[in-house]
Amino acid sequence: NAGVTQTPKFQVLKTGQSMTLQCAQDMNHEYMSWYRQDPGMGLRLIHYSVGAGITDQGEVPNGYNVSRSTTEDFPLRLLSAAPSQTSVYFCASSDVYGTKNYGYTFGSGTRLTVV
Amino acid sequence: AQTVTQSQPEMSVQEAETVTLSCTYDTSESDYYLFWYKQPPSRQMILVIRQEAYKQQNATENRFSVNFQKAAKSFSLKISDSQLGDAAMYFCAYRSYVAGGGADGLTFGKGTHLIIQP
């Protein structure tokens, strides 16, 4: 049971480049979400999904796109990277309300640097 | 929108002693969940404890317990018998009751850096 897997772990991009951060979970969780962590800011929600085909914006969605074509995968796309998107990105998944594990399980994160 | 405030940027405690980390939140919702996450230097986010707002009983997980005061919108974490491995950033987080129509995802505080003195 791998849990939540994020790839890559580290990435350097040039300003204006696009890329996709991958996130996959093998726990059959309905809920998934993406966060960014900046120094002194805690974690902030970018986008979330409550099931395949359903996504919505979080607190800081600008510059990012998501899709959820399967239960397992929830990729995050940076359309045109900017230095302000330099951050550590976390993907997380959760079981549905009422279950024992109704709490988000996090991946190990991706450190992204935009130069 | 909900907000979560952790007023202690850093706390220090002697090994084997007890420490309490503070968290307050603001919401107009009546049903929600609260969590404490631990982030060691490895940066992995680890769920420490959770509390359902409809439960009056405070959650406990081994040496970790919470003091949940719903009316005061307060959710503190107590760590008993502190160990060197407890040293980490601790984040308080809020989650709406999605089945009741709320938006999903977690709202985090800015964290408290816990130092354990040997």
Side-chain angles (χ1 to χ4, degrees):
Chain A
N1 191 339
V4 180
T5 302
Q6 289 185 240
T7 55
K9 294 193 183 305
F10 301 93
Q11 182 71 48
V12 178
L13 283 181
K14 293 183 178 179
T15 297
Q17 287 185 319
S18 62
M19 81 158 294
T20 299
L21 304 184
Q22 301 291 345
C23 177
Q25 53 94 6
D26 61 359
M27 298 173 283
N28 200 32
H29 285 169
E30 288 296 321
Y31 301 134
M32 297 186 75
S33 52
W34 276 100
Y35 303 83
R36 60 177 289 171
Q37 183 177 25
D38 302 300
M41 294 293 294
L43 282 79
R44 292 181 291 170
L45 179 66
I46 304 172
H47 285 285
Y48 67 92
S49 170
V50 298
I54 307 170
T55 64
D56 206 345
Q57 297 180 350
E59 179 186 355
V60 289
N62 292 340
Y64 307 96
N65 272 358
V66 292
S67 60
R68 184 98 180 270
S69 57
T70 67
T71 298
E72 295 78 18
D73 300 301
F74 190 43
L76 177 72
R77 281 181 285 277
L78 280 70
L79 308 174
S80 177
S84 61
Q85 293 179 303
T86 293
S87 189
V88 178
Y89 291 85
F90 288 96
C91 178
S93 73
S94 168
D95 211 339
V96 298
Y97 164 76
T99 59
K100 177 182 178 181
N101 294 317
Y102 189 67
Y104 268 100
T105 299
F106 281 77
S108 58
T110 296
R111 180 175 293 278
L112 176 68
T113 302
V114 182
V115 297
Chain B
Q2 296 79 30
T3 60
V4 177
T5 302
Q6 294 180 248
S7 59
Q8 306 152 317
E10 187 171 278
M11 293 281 287
S12 182
V13 63
Q14 291 289 128
E15 193 176 3
E17 295 191 343
T18 295
V19 63
T20 298
L21 308 184
S22 301
C23 173
T24 58
Y25 59 95
D26 189 28
T27 184
S28 59
E29 299 174 336
S30 58
D31 291 324
Y32 50 87
Y33 291 80
L34 296 165
F35 304 89
W36 279 97
Y37 280 88
K38 171 185 178 181
Q39 187 180 42
S42 68
R43 88 179 178 208
Q44 180 67 47
M45 294 291 289
I46 302 165
L47 177 61
V48 174
I49 198 165
R50 71 177 191 183
Q51 175 78 44
E52 292 89 339
Y54 66 85
K55 288 187 177 179
Q56 294 185 340
Q57 186 174 5
N58 290 324
T60 299
E61 290 285 346
N62 301 315
R63 297 183 294 108
F64 299 87
S65 61
V66 299
N67 183 4
F68 173 50
Q69 302 290 330
K70 190 172 183 179
K73 297 180 182 175
S74 172
F75 183 60
S76 61
L77 174 70
K78 186 172 81 171
I79 306 174
S80 303
D81 186 24
S82 298
Q83 300 176 359
L84 293 177
D86 295 333
M89 284 292 292
Y90 285 82
F91 292 97
C92 178
Y94 175 103
R95 185 179 188 183
S96 296
Y97 174 41
V98 181
D104 198 44
L106 296 169
T107 301
F108 283 90
K110 294 185 178 182
T112 296
H113 182 211
L114 179 63
I115 298 168
I116 310 295
Q117 304 280 4

